[in-house]
Amino acid sequence: MSRVITVGGAQMGPIARADSRKAVVDRMLALLDTAHARGCDLVVFPELALTTFFPRWWMESQNEVDSFFESEMPGPDTQPLFDRAREYGIGFYLGYAEKTVEDGETHRYNTSILVDKDSNIVGRYRKVHLPGHAEHEPERPWQHLEKGYFEVGNLGFPVWRTMGGVMGMCLCNDRRWPETFRVMGMQGVEMVMLGYNTPAANAVGPEPFHVRMMHNHITMQAGAYQNGTWVVGVAKAGPEEGCDLMGGSVIVAPSGEIVAQAHTLGDELIVAECDLDECTFNKTTIFNFEAHRRPEHYKIITEQVGAVPPPEE
Ligand code: CDT
């Protein structure tokens, strides 16, 4: 049986702080329509796809922060997405801010879900590597308050057998950490989906745009190659009220090659036919983990957080 999944990366242009959920969901429905016309089985939307990248703003009122969170999924605003996707028989990945009550306590996570072709939520991931800072830093040109507005995800990096393959998820900054991909690689992942919101410039020091875009791609390409998996990385792009977000959404083959790439900073669908059987070559040769990994030499990775150089002479 064919294991080809036609995947759409639904890059989204800027979302204004005042944009309603309905206005955003309407844009996502238009991307789903395009995906259907182009024969997609699965569509990947960005991180925090339903709102502007709100950690950019220092907000003292928790009520104001909470206005960017969803406390039900699907909720009244997002139900049309689930309905349209089910009508088309398309699965999707969606990043959003999740507010949830567990054991009587409220938690807030930067979350993605995986929805199958029948519109069932089959997977949930909560971002582990939260970048930025927790307190207001007024000297910055824009804030990056993920550490203040979210808790570290508590679900690890699971994978799910669905849509004919082994599927995994992560979010934005996670892609920069090889551990993210390896933990999923150790579970046989065949497609990693990730949404991102990455500023085109570094807020705290000079870094050329082309170098930042290289970091964006090189991390996903390395994750794909070193684990023999497809990677679908999808941006929120363009000028979002004072902060330019890079685009550069890509679909990366298990060889590490980019097979589709966005060329705009707006709403744009990139499409690739992804044969999950292409994962087998890497997984059974150069990256045959069973044959070649030496975990007895990797303990420092899980036992230590920061780098500890040897003492000075
Ligand atoms: N959303 C997200 O994780 N963005 C980060 C930017 C970090 S700048 C503090 C990224 O790694 O792309």
Side-chain angles (χ1 to χ4, degrees):
M1 187 184 135
S2 161
R3 294 219 302 143
V4 176
I5 302 183
T6 304
V7 177
Q11 178 174 287
M12 296 179 70
I15 297 175
R17 193 169 170 170
D19 283 353
S20 68
R21 296 288 199 286
K22 181 179 178 329
V24 177
V25 168
D26 282 349
R27 285 168 55 185
M28 297 167 88
L29 292 174
L31 284 159
L32 269 183
D33 292 344
T34 307
H36 174 60
R38 296 182 65 181
C40 292
D41 302 297
L42 176 63
V43 168
V44 178
F45 291 108
E47 175 190 43
L48 298 177
L50 299 169
T51 65
T52 191
F53 188 75
F54 63 89
R56 179 180 307 127
W57 286 286
W58 170 246
M59 291 174 269
E60 298 201 359
S61 150
Q62 187 62 54
N63 277 346
E64 190 179 4
V65 176
D66 280 352
S67 69
F68 295 98
F69 281 74
E70 313 301 314
S71 44
E72 47 178 342
M73 186 56 69
D77 295 324
T78 44
Q79 186 65 52
L81 210 50
F82 285 69
D83 293 343
R84 185 77 56 92
R86 187 176 43 228
E87 180 190 327
Y88 289 153
I90 292 178
F92 64 94
Y93 162 111
L94 170 69
Y96 69 100
E98 177 193 12
K99 183 177 170 191
T100 182
V101 178
E102 285 175 2
D103 299 328
E105 281 190 16
T106 300
H107 300 275
R108 294 173 184 82
Y109 299 105
N110 187 345
T111 292
S112 61
I113 49 170
L114 178 57
V115 179
D116 73 10
K117 290 181 169 201
D118 297 317
S119 270
N120 301 308
I121 297 176
V122 291
R124 178 177 303 275
Y125 168 72
R126 292 171 173 157
K127 189 172 181 178
V128 167
H129 299 102
L130 296 176
H133 48 104
E135 302 298 332
H136 189 207
E137 295 188 2
E139 67 283 2
R140 285 173 174 261
W142 56 80
Q143 303 295 297
H144 197 109
L145 286 154
E146 286 196 62
K147 284 193 194 299
Y149 296 158
F150 301 115
E151 286 174 58
V152 172
N154 59 350
L155 302 175
F157 294 99
V159 301
W160 299 268
R161 192 174 280 287
T162 183
M163 284 176 251
V166 182
M167 316 299 276
M169 297 190 275
C170 63
L171 282 158
C172 196
N173 189 265
D174 287 321
R175 72 195 185 290
R176 304 188 192 273
W177 302 90
E179 295 87 347
T180 298
F181 291 102
R182 183 48 51 93
V183 170
M184 288 189 267
M186 293 300 294
Q187 301 168 82
V189 77
E190 295 174 315
M191 181 172 288
V192 176
M193 291 157 274
L194 70 99
Y196 61 92
N197 283 262
T198 299
N202 191 322
V204 293
E207 195 172 47
F209 173 76
H210 73 272
V211 174
R212 291 178 65 74
M213 186 58 87
M214 177 192 70
H215 296 158
N216 176 38
H217 288 157
I218 204 172
T219 51
M220 292 191 273
Q221 291 179 267
Y225 167 63
Q226 292 171 343
N227 295 281
T229 180
W230 289 89
V231 174
V232 185
V234 177
K236 176 114 68 58
E240 268 198 351
E241 288 161 321
C243 179
D244 287 343
L245 295 172
M246 69 165 63
S249 302
V250 284
I251 299 176
V252 185
S255 61
E257 291 165 285
I258 292 173
V259 297
Q261 181 167 345
H263 66 283
T264 72
L265 291 174
D267 292 7
E268 177 183 348
L269 190 82
I270 57 170
V271 178
E273 291 183 5
C274 303
D275 184 350
L276 299 181
D277 285 338
E278 276 185 44
C279 299
T280 308
F281 181 67
N282 266 9
K283 284 186 193 296
T284 55
T285 57
I286 187 88
F287 293 115
N288 177 342
F289 291 169
E290 185 64 33
H292 306 305
R293 288 186 78 249
R294 292 287 170 251
E296 67 274 24
H297 294 294
Y298 309 153
K299 286 200 178 80
I300 200 168
I301 287 178
T302 55
E303 290 176 353
Q304 191 175 305
V305 181
V308 184
E312 302 269 351
E313 297 261 303

